[in-house]
Amino acid sequence: MGGTLFQRAWYSDEISHFLHASPETILGELSTRATVDMQVTQRDAWLEEIRVLKKALEGIRGRVYLEFTIPRMGHRADCIIVAEGHVVVLEFKVGKGEYSRDALDQVCDYTLDLKYFHKGSHHATVIPVLVATAARAERSFILRHPRIAGLYHPLRSNGQNLAEVLRLIFQEIQGRPLNPLEWENAPYEPTPTIVEAARALYAGHGVHEIARSDAGAQHLGQTTERVNAIIDECARKKKKAICFVTGVPGAGKTLVGLNLAAQRSDPSLDQHTVFLSGNGPLVAILQEALTRDTLRRMQQQGQRRPKGEVKASVKSFIQNVHHFRDEAVRSKEPPHDRVAIFDEAQRAWNREQTAKFMRQKKGILGFNQSEPEFLVETMDRHQDWAAIVCLVGSGQEINTGEAGIGEWLESVNKSHFQHWDIFVSPQFEDPEFGSESLKPLLRQSPRVCWCDELHLKVSMRSFRSENVSAFVNALLDLDVRRARQHVETMRDNGFLTYITRDLDRAKAWVREQAFGGERYGMVVSSQAERLKPYAIDVRYKIDPVLWFLNDKEDVRSSYYLEDVASEFDVQGLELDWTLVAWDGDFRCGEDNWGHYSFRGDRWETIRKPERQKYQKNAYRVLLTRARQGMIIFVPPGDRHDPTRDPDFYDGTWRYLCDAGLPVLP
């Protein structure tokens, strides 16, 4: 987004003007611009913050920002001071008697957001300060972040000594020339995770606030507008349509889908839209994250609602596609939703897989439709109009029975669905999307409408991991030369990668790298069954919600590095830092990969090409989950254990070294 940061702060002014303004005037401006109803507790907290700041900012020249919105995180920083060549981020905990870990992580996360995504802060010195007004004063020490230039560890203040803390910052940290107004007008270009994006969009932020302001964001907006126009035309002309949104890897297809669902979720409209995904862990995590975030925002506004009631509302926004299907099986009535958005639509089940599941899990015999055909039939129950939006990706198939995009086209081409219009982009015919066999249908049918806007052409991948996918592809293709080139590029871009044969050192490394609330965790292949000597039991099924969302105090969270997530748990999700544990199920030989599955007391060779592809893609998923960096642990093996012979691991270790990955010092 290219606008000014002034628009994102509820109050902004020169410090000199702030010092001369009455607390009531400042409070009035905050209240006027607030997007929520102000409670008495919030008013009192603001008055205390204003009092503390007026005392602490005497003699300082610069600008002050109060209630500065961080859209990517769905939060607001209490105060930002731009002065003396520094950016100081303050988080107030009025009435709190301790400097809690959560609060310290919170203010660190705000500074990271600025450092990473706000162009004016890239080369500035950014210092977090936690102000707990009922805590004891502590002696402050300036501690530079060892990895990120211009970033510092958090300082603590009880408010009474805030002037001393600021004086220490300005005296001991060498600031760079920084014009507050230029800083204020610098662009904000975030790259949110899917969880962050869902939170922000559900809370009412627009996609322009949480996406980069370059060409990628423009494409996102154009695609969203085109799909909205298609849906509006369906409603106006009482038609039915299916449209396919494609894009290069990391282009933001899921972000488009979430944005559409958020924009069209008004229950007063006869256009209710639901976001559907077959990724069970992802859906569960998003539903819980949105529920928690909604409850937090309601609590801040002094409102109360039962968690179950809030979660029910969230489930109408995002659902598991299989639950949506099961409900349609139980009832022959049209669904509540007029618009259905299917994420990763190419992974919908084929007829055989759907029939098998319905027979074994639901006790339904004779089910003879693929998931795409049944879902089209379900939306077709509406007598007047309906729309389906398919978000189409490619690669990373790790499950059997996935139908591919051709099944959607074949389904909508059946005689009883001839009234459905089809919207695609010219790139939809590319081989990577699996629709090449249906080119005659696409080119000959008068129902097909070609729209350039339905293809996202620019990658929006994580700011540090843009080259990771290319590196992983080269690594898994045994292309050593290309892999080494990408390792150098990743390092130049700040993405850290190491390998080690010491699990304890690997754990220590990811803990040391993480700053504030940055999330880290250990991921392994679902076939990695001989890591048990390291207390890594892949057969223990984690709760992905607790693993991904709970904090550092919870032993079940990813932070503890005890419970591990497999490719099925983490697909479609990201962590800041990952520890990838590499077992003997996927071994590098002289010029090929060896594929193995542990059965009983020995490794057995996987011979089916389809299963080999799934296993290779499992490691592709594991190696591309990190936004900031990863460390790969390859066990040394044990000569006394035939299931962990060092030969099972040494070839992989040598190959990773040859591919240019540095060994942890």
Side-chain angles (χ1 to χ4, degrees):
M1 109 185 167
T4 68
L5 293 182
F6 179 85
Q7 297 171 321
R8 290 173 53 207
W10 291 356
Y11 174 91
S12 171
D13 209 341
E14 296 287 339
I15 290 176
S16 59
H17 296 165
F18 170 82
L19 293 175
H20 287 94
S22 69
E24 292 75 21
T25 299
I26 299 170
L27 182 65
E29 191 165 340
L30 284 168
S31 304
T32 299
R33 297 188 178 181
T35 58
V36 298
D37 294 334
M38 188 178 70
Q39 304 298 312
V40 174
T41 53
Q42 179 62 77
R43 181 203 64 192
D44 293 345
W46 278 338
L47 288 172
E48 178 63 9
E49 291 171 24
I50 293 167
R51 185 192 67 79
V52 170
L53 287 169
K54 278 181 170 289
K55 181 180 178 182
L57 294 178
E58 285 286 350
I60 297 176
R61 297 176 61 186
R63 289 187 72 87
V64 58
Y65 302 84
L66 301 180
E67 296 296 326
F68 177 82
T69 304
I70 312 287
R72 183 184 67 90
M73 299 172 60
H75 291 266
R76 295 187 307 276
D78 288 333
C79 176
I80 294 178
I81 299 167
V82 181
E84 310 289 336
H86 302 77
V87 179
V88 184
V89 183
L90 297 101
E91 177 64 22
F92 282 83
K93 298 299 178 184
V94 174
K96 297 298 181 181
E98 62 176 354
Y99 305 103
S100 69
R101 175 189 286 185
D102 284 348
L104 288 166
D105 285 349
Q106 183 180 2
V107 70
C108 287
D109 290 344
Y110 294 157
T111 62
L112 280 176
D113 187 272
L114 289 174
K115 195 67 179 169
Y116 289 156
F117 306 122
H118 176 229
K119 197 169 184 178
S121 302
H122 287 344
H123 303 293
T125 55
V126 187
I127 307 100
V129 178
L130 174 62
V131 183
T133 60
R136 294 177 59 185
E138 291 187 2
R139 185 178 178 185
S140 295
F141 297 93
I142 300 295
L143 184 60
R144 189 188 306 268
H145 192 283
R147 179 173 48 84
I148 305 173
L151 185 66
Y152 291 80
H153 285 275
L155 299 175
R156 298 165 170 83
S157 169
N158 65 356
Q160 298 177 37
N161 67 343
L162 182 57
E164 299 171 23
V165 171
L166 294 176
R167 187 161 52 248
L168 178 70
I169 291 172
F170 298 147
Q171 289 176 351
E172 294 200 11
I173 301 177
Q174 181 66 42
R176 300 188 179 192
L178 184 64
N179 183 308
L181 290 178
E182 291 179 1
W183 179 90
E184 180 177 312
N185 287 281
Y188 176 67
E189 302 177 346
T191 54
T193 66
I194 187 172
V195 175
E196 292 168 343
R199 281 173 170 155
L201 292 169
Y202 194 69
H205 293 289
V207 69
H208 64 282
E209 294 181 89
I210 59 170
R212 283 162 26 184
S213 59
D214 55 13
Q218 295 175 20
H219 283 295
L220 287 176
Q222 292 168 2
T223 301
T224 302
E225 288 177 10
R226 187 68 181 95
V227 177
N228 268 324
I230 292 170
I231 296 171
D232 290 340
E233 183 180 10
C234 287
R236 187 173 61 256
K237 295 184 178 181
K238 306 303 179 187
K239 296 168 52 178
K240 294 174 182 175
I242 182 169
C243 63
F244 297 89
V245 176
T246 56
V248 300
K253 296 179 291 292
T254 300
L255 184 56
V256 166
L258 288 169
N259 189 37
L260 285 166
Q263 288 179 351
R264 311 186 75 93
S265 61
D266 187 345
S268 65
L269 300 175
D270 184 28
Q271 298 185 7
H272 193 272
T273 301
V274 63
F275 181 91
L276 299 170
S277 171
N279 185 334
L282 173 64
V283 172
I285 290 166
L286 289 179
Q287 287 178 346
E288 179 65 17
L290 296 184
T291 300
R292 293 184 184 183
D293 196 53
T294 301
L295 290 171
R296 176 187 62 80
R297 286 185 283 107
M298 292 180 66
Q299 185 178 22
Q300 290 175 343
Q301 299 174 41
Q303 301 175 14
R304 294 287 187 274
R305 277 177 69 191
K307 182 177 180 179
E309 185 179 316
V310 173
K311 195 157 195 173
S313 177
V314 168
K315 285 183 177 179
S316 69
F317 171 71
I318 179 168
Q319 293 182 32
N320 189 309
V321 66
H322 305 313
H323 297 168
F324 182 86
R325 176 205 61 212
D326 294 346
E327 180 60 32
V329 170
R330 283 190 290 269
S331 171
K332 298 302 180 183
E333 294 295 315
H336 171 62
D337 314 287
R338 290 282 184 168
V339 182
I341 301 168
F342 294 93
D343 194 28
E344 297 288 356
Q346 77 282 358
R347 292 204 173 114
W349 289 346
N350 59 28
R351 183 176 60 81
E352 291 75 18
Q353 181 69 12
T354 308
K356 178 181 177 182
F357 179 85
M358 300 301 278
R359 181 176 65 255
Q360 294 181 349
K361 301 295 185 180
K362 304 295 180 180
I364 299 175
L365 303 178
F367 195 94
N368 63 352
Q369 291 178 298
S370 67
E371 208 163 38
E373 181 180 357
F374 182 70
L375 292 170
V376 173
E377 186 274 324
T378 298
M379 296 303 292
D380 194 52
R381 295 175 189 175
H382 289 290
Q383 292 301 306
D384 44 9
W385 76 274
I388 296 173
V389 181
C390 291
L391 310 176
V392 183
S394 60
Q396 295 194 358
E397 294 86 353
I398 59 175
N399 282 311
T400 58
E402 294 174 349
I405 205 62
E407 183 64 37
W408 286 93
L409 290 171
E410 290 180 354
S411 297
V412 80
N413 196 45
K414 291 183 182 295
S415 60
H416 43 292
F417 298 135
Q418 290 293 311
H419 53 289
W420 281 74
D421 290 336
I422 302 169
F423 292 83
V424 297
S425 74
Q427 288 82 1
F428 192 65
E429 293 181 314
D430 292 351
E432 63 184 292
F433 297 112
S435 62
E436 61 272 17
S437 63
L438 295 167
K439 284 185 180 180
L441 163 65
L442 292 170
R443 287 299 174 182
Q444 297 171 11
S445 175
R447 298 186 292 140
V448 175
C449 303
W450 300 89
C451 308
D452 287 332
E453 302 94 328
L454 296 183
H455 182 73
L456 296 163
K457 304 172 185 177
V458 180
S459 175
M460 301 280 288
R461 281 201 186 278
S462 165
F463 60 109
R464 291 200 188 280
S465 59
E466 292 175 347
N467 301 104
V468 175
S469 291
F471 160 72
V472 171
N473 290 338
L475 186 75
L476 296 178
D477 290 342
L478 298 174
D479 189 335
V480 174
R481 182 187 61 82
R482 195 158 52 94
R484 293 181 72 92
Q485 292 174 346
H486 288 304
V487 168
E488 294 177 4
T489 304
M490 289 191 301
R491 188 182 302 116
D492 291 342
N493 289 341
F495 187 92
L496 300 183
T497 310
Y498 286 99
I499 55 176
T500 183
R501 309 201 82 167
D502 187 325
L503 182 59
D504 288 336
R505 294 194 64 207
K507 290 182 177 181
W509 184 84
V510 292
R511 291 188 180 109
E512 290 166 1
Q513 302 310 309
F515 185 73
E518 288 184 321
R519 184 166 288 274
Y520 51 86
M522 181 162 33
V523 296
V524 303
S525 159
S526 59
Q527 300 294 317
E529 295 200 18
R530 289 310 297 142
L531 296 174
K532 286 182 68 177
Y534 297 94
I536 299 174
D537 188 357
V538 73
R539 290 178 297 181
Y540 173 76
K541 301 302 179 185
I542 65 167
D543 183 332
V545 170
L546 304 179
W547 197 84
F548 262 102
L549 298 182
N550 283 22
D551 59 27
K552 295 175 181 177
E553 308 299 326
D554 194 324
V555 69
R556 299 164 297 178
S557 75
S558 66
Y559 289 117
Y560 258 75
L561 297 173
E562 292 183 2
D563 296 339
V564 297
S566 75
E567 69 271 19
F568 300 112
D569 300 313
V570 300
Q571 189 171 37
L573 293 152
E574 293 178 309
L575 299 97
D576 292 294
W577 304 89
T578 59
L579 192 171
V580 181
W582 199 307
D583 200 9
D585 58 324
F586 191 55
R587 311 171 195 169
C588 188
E590 290 296 326
D591 57 0
N592 62 5
W593 290 105
H595 303 264
Y596 297 88
S597 177
F598 197 76
R599 294 288 182 267
D601 62 353
R602 61 178 56 85
W603 292 103
E604 294 181 355
T605 303
I606 296 175
R607 303 191 184 279
K608 290 185 178 181
E610 184 181 54
R611 288 189 61 203
Q612 291 180 354
K613 181 183 74 171
Y614 291 153
Q615 187 178 50
K616 183 178 180 179
N617 283 341
Y619 274 83
R620 192 187 313 277
V621 169
L622 299 176
L623 293 167
T624 54
R625 293 309 93 193
R627 285 167 61 86
Q628 304 241 39
M630 67 176 163
I631 187 165
I632 301 172
F633 162 64
V634 181
D638 185 347
R639 289 288 180 195
H640 302 290
D641 182 349
T643 69
R644 296 191 297 126
D645 191 303
D647 290 344
F648 299 167
Y649 305 97
D650 289 348
T652 301
W653 174 260
R654 288 192 296 269
Y655 173 60
L656 295 178
C657 291
D658 290 343
L661 291 173
V663 178
L664 185 68

